[in-house]
Amino acid sequence: MAMTVRLPEELDTQLEVIARARHTSKHALLIEAAMRFVNSESKTDRVLSLTDEITDRYADTIRRLEDA
């Protein structure tokens, strides 16, 4: 899917420097960054979900530990 991205000049310049150093394109860098962000957000959601499950499952134990 095609998309136009408008970047601040400073960010565009920084991406250009990184792209040259890595012998790749700014497009490839933006894809990589987007994928890292999506993976990070997915992991955060999973961790929060698991934390909720653990809190529910061990609520009594957690309360007893608070009182100890």
Side-chain angles (χ1 to χ4, degrees), residues 25-65:
S25 66
K26 290 188 286 185
H27 172 83
L29 292 178
L30 290 173
I31 296 290
E32 180 183 339
M35 290 181 74
R36 286 183 185 192
F37 177 76
V38 167
N39 289 336
S40 173
E41 288 296 304
S42 294
K43 288 177 186 174
T44 299
D45 289 344
R46 287 194 309 258
V47 167
L48 291 175
S49 177
L50 288 171
T51 302
D52 288 343
E53 288 179 30
I54 290 168
T55 301
D56 291 344
R57 183 181 305 162
Y58 297 105
D60 291 336
T61 304
I62 293 169
R63 271 189 234 102
R64 284 186 297 208
L65 287 171

Side-chain angles (χ1 to χ4, degrees), residues 7-14:
L7 301 171
E9 189 174 328
E10 183 178 326
L11 179 57
D12 184 62
T13 301
Q14 291 171 329

